Amino acid sequence: MDSTTIIIIAALVGLVIGFIIAKVLEKGKAAKTITNAKKEASSIIRQAKKEGENIKKDKIFQAKEKFLELKAEHEKVIINKDKKIAEAEKRTRDKESQISSELAKGKRLKEQLDTQIKEVNYKGEILDKKQAEVEKLHKSQVQQLEVISGLSADDAKSQLMESLKATAKTDAMAYLQTTLEEAKLTAQQEARKIVINTIQRIGTEEAVENCVSVFNLESDDVKGRIIGREGRNIRAIEAATGVEIIVDDTPEAIILSCFDSVRREVARLSLHRLVTDGRIHPARIEEIVKKTEKQINEEIVEIGKRTVIDLGIHGLHPELIKAVGRMKYRSSYGQNLLQHSREVAKLCGVMAAELGINPKLAKRAGLLHDIGKVPNTEVEVETPHAILGMQWAEKFGEKKDVCNAIGAHHDEIEMTTLISPIVQVCDAISGARPGARRQVLDSYIQRLKDLEDVAFGFNGVQKAYAIQAGRELRVIVESEKVNDDKAAELSFEISQKIQTDMTYPGQVKVTVIRETRAVNVAK
């Protein structure tokens, strides 16, 4: 064998021997490891047993504590239930005792009631017997009276009734007469009081309107532009508005003349717009007039709405609201119709409230009483305004009381409601106020002058003043010419002169004042 083979064989033998030695060493180390592991396992098992015993003891202790807690709670619940049961039993015993006492009381009451019923029945029998005896005695007495008087009971009764009737009728007539006299005096006093209080509580401004309006201009140069070439502009304005335009020598002003206040107002506003705009020609005039008429119509509706809201009137038909608005541009005897109607409505409300009548209904009738003065067509002008206003009110669903008050305020129809005379009186009050109407104002001033002139017609009169709207004439006389006796005589003579020579509403009180003064000067 060569050396190489020997070396290889030797290496292999070495490897085998090394492997065997490694296995032997590994086996010994594994046995030692197993022994150590067994020791550790025994130690862990012993410790686990100890911990298990401890846990077991703890769980048993906790279970005992839980059992004791549950037992205590259960005992509390049982005790509470026993307590409630005892209370319920006690209440039941109390109820039973109360019911027993009530039954006993009811039994006693029943016995008392039975006793009282027996007593009442007994007394009723006695009463029936006594009543029979009384009737028997009454019949015997009537028979005796018939024999004595020679009249039957029916004849005597008839004569007595006739006598009582005559006496009662006489007494009633006397009482009725006295009551009527007292009622008349009281009614007159109350009526005066209500009318005076109503007049004093309602105050309005004087309203006097004319048939012309003055349109002021910035300069007289504008007049030429308003007239236009050959007067075409002024003719266009007059044709579109129906208003006569008077251009005269009045500086910086032209006059608009028309009986219709609405048309006059349309013309005034249209002229104002045309002058402000500067473009004045027929086409522009027609355009501006149409716009102004539309504006005035809207303003009329707005005025009507504002008026009914101010007066607290609700549910008025839109056509009637429009008629109320048109009143602003109407006048009657120089008095603005809307202002007059508002005043009448307020007067009616106050007077109705004083008399215990519905004030809202009275206000409604007072506001609408003159709507017939603002007709829509010329045909309607021929109908009396009171009848026309009543027809409108009926057409637009107003109540019968309101319609009758409108139609009867000038006695065209018969008054059938209490509101009608109130509206009539308030209409007269509003129209009769000094200064309310032009004719009334002139005649009022003249009457006061005549009243003072009557006093100046007597000798010894120094001064005379008509006061309290002509209801009193205060006369101051000269003390040297008129003594006290003559003053009384003068007062009577002046009152007789006024009574015979003048026409006046109500009464005129004549007061003659005589004053004596002694004057000295200390120096």
Side-chain angles (χ1 to χ4, degrees), residues 271-516:
L271 277 174
H272 178 72
R273 288 185 175 183
L274 289 168
V275 172
T276 304
D277 183 50
R279 294 176 293 169
I280 305 176
H281 53 83
R284 181 65 175 167
I285 289 169
E286 292 179 1
E287 179 186 354
I288 291 296
V289 168
K290 287 181 180 179
K291 288 182 179 179
T292 306
E293 286 177 348
K294 183 178 179 182
Q295 177 188 346
I296 291 294
N297 289 330
E298 292 175 353
E299 185 179 347
I300 285 172
V301 175
E302 186 62 29
I303 290 168
K305 289 181 180 178
R306 191 162 58 246
T307 300
V308 298
I309 290 172
D310 291 344
L311 294 174
I313 297 172
H314 305 286
L316 206 62
H317 194 277
E319 289 297 326
L320 294 180
I321 292 176
K322 193 183 294 184
V324 171
R326 286 202 300 270
M327 287 182 185
K328 180 183 178 182
Y329 300 102
R330 294 289 187 275
S331 61
S332 177
Y333 300 101
Q335 184 180 25
N336 182 268
L337 196 57
L338 178 60
Q339 185 175 340
H340 165 67
S341 298
R342 288 173 65 101
E343 182 180 5
V344 171
K346 291 177 181 178
L347 287 167
C348 289
V350 174
M351 195 172 288
E354 291 289 338
L355 295 172
I357 303 171
N358 187 350
K360 291 187 177 179
L361 204 61
K363 273 187 180 180
R364 198 180 192 96
L367 178 65
L368 299 177
H369 81 283
D370 269 348
I371 56 172
K373 289 185 178 180
V374 285
N376 290 322
T377 62
E378 293 298 328
V379 177
E380 292 177 339
V381 175
E382 300 176 358
T383 307
H385 76 274
I387 301 299
L388 180 59
M390 181 184 69
Q391 292 173 356
W392 282 6
E394 290 174 348
K395 178 181 178 182
F396 297 121
E398 289 298 317
K399 294 183 178 179
K400 292 183 178 179
D401 293 359
V402 176
C403 296
N404 181 257
I406 296 170
H409 79 277
H410 283 313
D411 294 323
E412 270 88 1
I413 63 172
E414 184 182 356
M415 296 183 182
T416 58
T417 65
L418 291 175
I419 297 177
S420 300
I422 292 176
V423 172
Q424 188 181 51
V425 169
C426 294
D427 180 41
I429 291 171
S430 175
R433 283 184 183 275
R437 295 182 176 180
R438 189 180 301 111
Q439 288 88 342
V440 175
L441 177 61
D442 295 339
S443 61
Y444 166 74
I445 294 172
Q446 187 61 42
R447 181 166 62 87
L448 295 188
K449 288 181 178 179
D450 294 341
L451 199 60
E452 293 177 354
D453 291 338
V454 169
F456 283 118
F458 291 85
N459 294 326
V461 176
Q462 185 179 5
K463 296 177 182 178
Y465 302 106
I467 61 175
Q468 293 187 7
R471 289 192 294 272
E472 181 179 354
L473 178 63
R474 190 161 294 176
V475 181
I476 301 173
V477 298
E478 298 176 7
S479 60
E480 295 82 6
K481 295 182 179 180
V482 181
N483 57 23
D484 291 338
D485 295 334
K486 184 65 176 176
E489 183 180 350
L490 182 62
S491 174
F492 176 77
E493 290 176 355
I494 292 174
S495 66
Q496 291 299 310
K497 181 72 172 176
I498 293 171
Q499 187 172 342
T500 54
D501 295 350
M502 294 187 64
T503 302
Y504 52 91
Q507 299 175 346
V508 178
K509 178 182 178 183
V510 179
T511 304
V512 175
I513 300 173
R514 178 179 179 273
E515 183 181 19
T516 302

Side-chain angles (χ1 to χ4, degrees), residues 98-292:
Q98 186 178 359
I99 291 169
S100 299
S101 63
E102 291 291 337
L103 289 173
K105 185 178 179 181
K107 187 176 180 182
R108 288 195 301 273
L109 291 174
K110 186 176 180 302
E111 292 175 354
Q112 292 176 2
L113 183 61
D114 292 338
T115 304
Q116 291 177 356
I117 290 172
K118 290 179 181 178
E119 291 179 357
V120 169
N121 291 333
Y122 177 70
K123 289 180 179 179
E125 292 175 357
I126 295 173
L127 184 62
D128 291 338
K129 291 179 181 179
K130 288 184 177 180
Q131 187 174 0
E133 292 177 359
V134 169
E135 289 179 355
K136 187 176 180 181
L137 290 172
H138 177 68
K139 287 180 180 179
S140 64
Q141 288 177 354
V142 170
Q143 290 174 358
Q144 290 178 4
L145 288 172
E146 289 177 354
V147 172
I148 293 170
S149 63
L151 295 172
S152 65
D154 293 335
D155 294 339
K157 189 185 295 182
S158 299
Q159 290 183 6
L160 181 62
M161 288 177 66
E162 290 296 330
S163 176
L164 290 174
K165 281 182 181 179
T167 306
K169 187 175 181 181
T170 304
D171 294 342
M173 289 298 293
Y175 177 76
L176 182 62
Q177 189 67 25
T178 306
T179 306
L180 283 174
E181 293 297 330
E182 292 178 356
K184 286 180 181 178
L185 292 174
T186 307
Q188 289 176 359
Q189 292 173 358
E190 290 297 321
R192 290 193 191 100
K193 181 180 176 182
I194 289 172
V195 172
I196 291 170
N197 287 341
T198 303
I199 294 172
Q200 289 175 346
R201 288 170 61 181
I202 304 297
T204 58
E205 299 177 355
E206 297 178 3
V208 179
E209 293 187 356
N210 301 313
C211 291
V212 296
S213 297
V214 178
F215 183 74
N216 296 315
L217 304 172
E218 293 181 358
S219 65
D220 287 337
D221 297 337
V222 182
K223 290 183 179 180
R225 294 166 56 196
I226 292 174
I227 295 171
R229 183 179 298 176
E230 298 178 355
R232 64 174 187 173
N233 289 345
I234 195 169
R235 286 197 300 273
I237 296 172
E238 290 178 346
T241 60
V243 175
E244 182 182 1
I245 300 177
I246 301 171
V247 182
D248 54 13
D249 297 334
T250 306
E252 298 180 355
I254 60 175
I255 297 173
L256 309 177
S257 176
C258 180
F259 71 94
D260 191 332
S261 303
V262 178
R263 294 189 342 222
R264 205 162 64 241
E265 183 68 10
V266 169
R268 189 186 67 81
L269 291 177
S270 300
L271 277 174
H272 178 72
R273 288 185 175 183
L274 289 168
V275 172
T276 304
D277 183 50
R279 294 176 293 169
I280 305 176
H281 53 83
R284 181 65 175 167
I285 289 169
E286 292 179 1
E287 179 186 354
I288 291 296
V289 168
K290 287 181 180 179
K291 288 182 179 179
T292 306

